[in-house]
Amino acid sequence: MKAILTSVENGEVSDLQGVSFLGRSNECNVLVDDPKVSRRHAMIRQQDDGFWMFDLGSFNGSYLNGSRVTAAKLLKDGDILDIADHEFRFGQTGVVATEEVVSETDRSTVALIRSKSVVILVSDIQGFTALSEQLSPDDLAQVIGSWYADCELIMDKYGATVDKFIGDCVLAYWTEVNETTLTNSILAAKDLVDSCNKIYDQKKEVFDSAGKTFGVGVAVHTGRVAYGGMSSGEFTLVGDHVNLTFRIESLTREVGKEVLVSGDFVEAAPFMRDLAEDLGIQQVKGRVVPVEIWGVHTFPEPDQG
């Protein structure tokens, strides 16, 4: 599956990558040289069901078919993106593959699927539905867009791969399980919490007027998964341990902890015993076997080297 953006103004065509940024920074894949455009204005990310558009908390907003983008939007062939009055037409070729069967006579490239232990992180905005109801579209777009942008930067900083954004949730992973990746995953969790505090401080009047706060729950777990090219042009992570990480994250509201790790994670990272509280065995939705949960209260010092 391939996609392009075509400038309505001059017909210039830009090929979209797995992650493409739009803005006036020279680092952006699609450069829009206009002072009304933010440095990193918007993002288009390829996920397993197509290409999604995200506003990155831009000052003047991003628009899709005339409507302001306040959360991630799945793009369709022919959609019009408006970035500070600069219009782009989204074009897509190929279809999303929901199932791929490769026969012995198939001469196409065979997807390489790996099975190994990884570190998995899931983070979810708490009370997103209530925020959507209480905040204006402009405020909501800047808040959620800033969160999307920070997620990308934080995961890149700590060497994680962002598998996908799912509305108000992010799934990321590290393909090695060692002291460095285990430590980095906890530092990433801390930065995600700190990012929400920063965004809240920046928009304090907006949140206070709506009677809302802004925070996330984060779960970190380790286990064996399958990862690789699950469909044409898509690299993703699947398996029971992925589902379990989502379930653990949902417990953050129940136990009143922003960051939770599993017993499996603590077993792999014994240093966490001094940084987290054992919350015992917890039953999670959709699973017969309960899971051991730890609540993180202290974070490791980042490597200054």
Side-chain angles (χ1 to χ4, degrees), residues 153-289:
L153 293 172
I154 290 167
M155 294 308 151
D156 181 66
K157 174 182 177 181
Y158 291 108
T161 297
V162 174
D163 184 271
K164 59 174 65 73
F165 288 96
I166 310 167
D168 57 328
C169 179
V170 63
L171 166 64
Y173 61 94
W174 290 257
T175 57
E176 299 293 334
V177 181
N178 54 48
E179 185 173 354
T180 297
T181 59
L182 292 164
T183 301
N184 281 352
S185 65
I186 297 300
L187 291 173
K190 177 182 184 299
D191 281 9
L192 288 170
V193 172
D194 290 345
S195 166
C196 288
N197 293 332
K198 177 198 71 176
I199 293 170
Y200 174 81
D201 289 340
Q202 291 172 343
K203 292 285 185 180
K204 189 176 187 304
E205 291 184 4
V206 170
F207 286 112
D208 289 353
S209 64
K212 300 296 178 184
T213 58
F214 188 60
V216 291
V218 187
V220 191
H221 175 53
T222 184
R224 183 168 288 274
V225 303
Y227 75 98
M230 301 300 172
S231 62
S232 177
E234 174 62 14
F235 190 86
T236 192
L237 195 72
V238 295
D240 180 63
H241 287 287
V242 178
N243 298 330
L244 177 56
T245 311
F246 278 94
R247 299 303 189 189
I248 293 172
E249 190 283 325
S250 68
L251 290 176
T252 57
R253 289 81 161 156
E254 296 180 24
V255 301
K257 298 289 185 180
E258 291 175 309
V259 180
L260 295 177
V261 297
S262 67
D264 289 337
F265 185 93
V266 173
E267 184 176 349
F271 64 84
M272 288 303 301
R273 295 182 181 276
D274 296 326
L275 307 178
E277 172 191 1
D278 188 353
L279 301 179
I281 304 299
Q282 302 284 334
Q283 189 68 50
V284 295
K285 183 178 179 182
R287 292 180 65 90
V288 175
V289 180

